[in-house]
Amino acid sequence: MALIYKPLSLLISVLGGMIAGALFKQVWKVVAGQDDAPDADDQDYTWRQVLVAAMVQGAIFGLVKAAIQRAGAQGVRRTTGHWPGDDRRKPSKARGHE
């Protein structure tokens, strides 16, 4: 299962990065009214503008990454009946295992 899941996961992650980038660009247009977010080395922007842009971008990328990974894992479970990586994890009391 890991032989198939790893390459597929990598491909989906790359596509997720592209989706997150496009989503960030659209969000930034709405929020800031600008086509492009400020670059950290652009002297025409303040610290605040650069850090807010980075924070929004990081939040969007993190959200998209988590959503894609979770959906992929659920797809593997639906297809195979096993959660990816279950064989390498120890049971956790937090998940209700004893």
Side-chain angles (χ1 to χ4, degrees):
M1 178 171 61
L3 282 173
I4 295 170
Y5 181 71
K6 291 289 183 183
L8 187 58
S9 176
L10 182 62
L11 175 64
I12 290 171
S13 293
V14 170
L15 293 174
M18 293 169 62
I19 291 168
L23 181 59
F24 171 68
K25 191 169 181 94
Q26 292 304 312
V27 168
W28 191 256
K29 280 183 185 179
V30 171
V31 171
Q34 299 173 335
D35 286 338
D36 294 317
D39 289 325
D41 59 355
D42 190 334
Q43 68 180 353
D44 295 331
Y45 294 98
T46 65
W47 272 90
R48 175 182 235 161
Q49 291 170 312
V50 169
L51 295 180
V52 167
M55 180 181 65
V56 171
Q57 185 178 35
I60 290 172
F61 272 80
L63 176 78
V64 170
K65 180 182 177 202
I68 287 174
Q69 283 181 326
R70 187 68 177 198
Q74 287 179 330
V76 167
R77 182 174 55 193
R78 277 193 304 274
T79 304
T80 67
H82 298 284
W83 193 263
D86 268 353
D87 54 340
R88 67 176 185 243
R89 289 193 186 112
K90 294 180 183 178
S92 170
K93 291 181 184 176
R95 285 187 259 164
H97 300 318
E98 293 292 328

